[in-house]
Amino acid sequence: MPRWKALPAGLHPQVRHLVVRLRGLKDRGELSTRQLAVKTGYSARSWQRYLNGGSLPPREAVEAMARVGGENPTRLLALHEIAAERWAEGHVVTADAPGSGPEDTPAAPSHPPTERQPYGRRLRAGIAAGAVALVLSVSAALLLAVRLADARAELADRAGSVAVPATVSESLIPVVYSCRPEQRDGRWYAGHSSTTDTILAYTHMGPEVAEAQCLMRRAGISPGDIDGIFGPQTQRAVERIQTRDGLVVDGVIGPHTWQSLRGAAPK
């Protein structure tokens, strides 16, 4: 008769009773775990776990053991049902399929999952979602900045040596400008820029745009909000100024349009 290892100290008595009965059937038949594997379809290593209290045998394995040991399986299966309930109270039951299981080392007893695990999964999911949202927002901001930079570069190529605005969307935070029009030396100024040749066009942003918007409003043509953003309304107002004063209508503020804005009287 083989010398059995002591069963785990924390094993429930009902589980212990089942394991002892299974050990007795194995001893009665004088079977090795390899012989049990052949006769039952469950691996030798699985039987080592079952018989040492490391894993609860599935119902089918218990029934196969009863058949091999020549015992009526009814009482043994009833004992297994009770043992399974007790095992579930303190273990995560992992049933082995016939012929499965490693053949080198026994599996350690499993333990019940703690209540922190679902929270941890939710936390990791939340962090992942936040990271994705952050990446998307940064990507959108970079895309807008690249488009504005491309527009500025294109205008610089067109303007040649003429100055371009120093502020082109360094900040995406909306700014509200106030208009303080005053006339000096026959020219109008609104308090945001004194430029007369800076090229301004669609997508430009900054105080130079606010200066032009204030001067358009002074001239009686509304550019929309005085926000320093060269948007569709501002572009349409520029075209109206150019049409009114007989300039090339291109929606771009250049030296000639600045001259018109700073020197033309309201009509």
Side-chain angles (χ1 to χ4, degrees), residues 103-127:
E103 294 297 329
D104 48 359
T105 56
S110 53
H111 299 283
T114 64
E115 294 182 358
R116 293 184 180 182
Q117 288 179 329
Y119 172 79
R121 288 194 293 270
R122 290 195 297 270
L123 179 60
R124 288 192 295 271
I127 292 174

Side-chain angles (χ1 to χ4, degrees), residues 38-57:
V38 173
K39 291 179 177 292
T40 64
Y42 287 82
S43 69
R45 187 53 59 186
S46 294
W47 277 114
Q48 289 179 14
R49 293 199 304 275
Y50 301 156
L51 298 174
N52 288 322
S55 180
L56 182 72

Side-chain angles (χ1 to χ4, degrees), residues 93-108:
V93 181
T94 55
D96 293 292
S100 65
E103 294 297 329
D104 48 359
T105 56

